[in-house]
Amino acid sequence: MSEHTRQILVRGRLRITDFRLRLLEVFVASSHSALTQKEIEARIGAHDRITLYRTLKSFEAAQLIHQVVDGSLENKYAFCLHDCPEHRAQEEHAHFLCNQCKTTYCLGSISDLAITVPSNYSLDKVQLALTGTCSACN
Amino acid sequence: MSEHTRQILVRGRLRITDFRLRLLEVFVASSHSALTQKEIEARIGAHDRITLYRTLKSFEAAQLIHQVVDGSLENKYAFCLHDCPEHRAQEEHAHFLCNQCKTTYCLGSISDLAITVPSNYSLDKVQLALTGTCSACN
DNA sequence: CTATATTTGCAACATTATTGCATAAATGAA
DNA sequence: TTCATTTATGCAATAATGTTGCAAATATAG
Ligand SMILES: [Mn+2]
Ligand SMILES: [Mn+2]
Ligand SMILES: [Zn+2]
Ligand SMILES: [Zn+2]
């Protein structure tokens, strides 16, 4: 059953360990939304806090997950789908935080928006943090 | 010299204290950019950490300052200019984080952008976090 | 000036971030 | 398969940040 996550680790050139497989399962299982550390901990079962911290860093470096800016001040991560735009030439990336259920949804590309910065500024990355009420809560 | 900041506190219906005046001076002095707690502490001189924490909360509640989402995970605050769109009917608000000097600029309104959310979602707030290189660093 | 409401400073505690280091485990090569 | 090497893990320790309670100090209204 973990052949899928196994392959993801191989592609990311990360050693295959039990903990990494478990963490990856968690992300794959909620690939539509971003997770806080607390939410990850609730899902992953027994674990070491520091190992989780470092594994998140590794996953991020290997571009398996990405940090999510959703307007809350919490550090959230989401699984990078293979068409995730976050790591494709720094394309625009939108996320939606629901005020009710606190879920953060990944809305994907927003490259159709016209963003301009003041003259002499150069733009590398665009992060759009939307807040409101999601479909499930409406 | 502190007549200006005095007036701001009065308008916000906050009692005038020495610490509040000092903190407000700091914000007024860098009203074009957002400040981290560390940056505030470096500018304000001798102070109590908890008092700063609570005064920031008061200022925010009184809408003298607002939290800034700039794509970093740091908690930043910026002075609300009287035409600051953040507190005018939740209008869009853009900030720019410079990768070089780490300054966060307030870019103001972006209400001309066309933002759409999936059907059945309702949108309350739009925060646009731009990253790149600022004019001074270019 | 006095009474009342608010603010401040300090202690205490919670949560999160971060590094060092010894041990355990994974991997590639023999 | 075994072994050597590299990497990951678990635990201790520390730093940074967030948060509340409470008594003393201060601001403000009357
Ligand atoms: Mn995403
Ligand atoms: Mn602003
Ligand atoms: Zn919701
Ligand atoms: Zn700059």
Side-chain angles (χ1 to χ4, degrees):
Chain A
M1 236 323 273
S2 62
E3 194 47 42
H4 179 221
T5 43
R6 232 181 184 77
Q7 283 308 313
I8 294 172
L9 289 180
V10 169
R11 262 183 297 161
R13 271 177 283 279
L14 291 172
R15 289 193 174 183
I16 296 166
T17 71
D18 180 61
F19 184 77
R20 283 175 175 171
L21 289 172
R22 281 165 56 209
L23 181 57
L24 208 42
E25 301 278 7
V26 169
F27 277 112
V28 170
S30 58
S31 54
H32 58 293
S33 69
L35 300 173
T36 62
Q37 185 175 321
K38 200 178 290 288
E39 290 169 328
I40 295 168
E41 297 193 330
R43 285 164 169 77
I44 206 173
H47 68 282
D48 179 71
R49 198 173 59 87
I50 292 90
T51 300
L52 172 57
Y53 169 79
R54 280 190 275 220
T55 307
L56 288 171
K57 294 279 188 192
S58 314
F59 279 14
E60 193 187 7
Q63 304 192 351
L64 269 50
I65 60 175
H66 62 268
Q67 278 191 317
V68 169
V69 172
D70 69 356
S72 79
L73 287 171
E74 289 185 287
N75 193 351
K76 299 187 182 181
Y77 286 100
F79 185 58
C80 289
L81 301 171
H82 89 288
D83 61 350
C84 164
E86 178 82 86
H87 297 112
R88 298 193 168 261
Q90 303 285 41
E91 273 179 41
E92 295 85 1
H93 203 86
H95 295 96
F96 184 94
L97 169 64
C98 176
N99 285 325
Q100 314 276 165
C101 65
K102 307 296 177 195
T103 303
T104 298
Y105 300 89
C106 182
L107 296 187
S109 175
I110 50 161
S111 52
D112 49 330
L113 293 178
I115 312 262
T116 54
V117 287
S119 62
N120 262 57
Y121 281 54
S122 50
L123 189 59
D124 285 351
K125 186 159 62 167
V126 176
Q127 288 166 299
L128 187 59
L130 306 177
T131 314
T133 309
C134 78
S135 168
C137 293
N138 259 336
Chain B
M1 238 322 273
S2 62
E3 192 48 40
H4 180 220
T5 42
R6 230 180 186 79
Q7 283 308 313
I8 295 172
L9 290 180
V10 170
R11 259 184 298 163
R13 271 177 281 279
L14 291 173
R15 291 194 174 185
I16 295 166
T17 69
D18 180 61
F19 184 77
R20 283 176 175 171
L21 288 171
R22 282 164 57 208
L23 181 57
L24 207 41
E25 300 278 8
V26 168
F27 276 112
V28 170
S30 60
S31 54
H32 58 292
S33 69
L35 301 172
T36 62
Q37 183 175 323
K38 201 179 288 291
E39 289 168 327
I40 295 168
E41 295 194 331
R43 286 164 168 76
I44 205 172
H47 68 284
D48 179 71
R49 197 175 61 90
I50 292 91
T51 300
L52 173 57
Y53 168 79
R54 280 190 275 220
T55 307
L56 288 171
K57 294 280 187 191
S58 313
F59 279 15
E60 193 187 8
Q63 304 193 349
L64 271 48
I65 60 176
H66 62 267
Q67 278 192 316
V68 169
V69 172
D70 69 356
S72 78
L73 287 171
E74 288 185 288
N75 193 351
K76 298 187 183 180
Y77 286 100
F79 185 58
C80 287
L81 301 170
H82 89 289
D83 62 349
C84 163
E86 177 82 88
H87 299 112
R88 297 190 169 262
Q90 303 285 42
E91 273 180 39
E92 295 85 2
H93 203 87
H95 295 96
F96 183 94
L97 169 64
C98 176
N99 285 326
Q100 314 276 165
C101 64
K102 307 296 179 196
T103 303
T104 298
Y105 300 90
C106 181
L107 297 187
S109 175
I110 49 160
S111 52
D112 50 329
L113 293 178
I115 312 262
T116 54
V117 288
S119 62
N120 261 58
Y121 282 54
S122 50
L123 189 58
D124 285 350
K125 187 158 63 168
V126 176
Q127 288 166 299
L128 187 59
L130 306 176
T131 314
T133 310
C134 77
S135 168
C137 294
N138 259 335

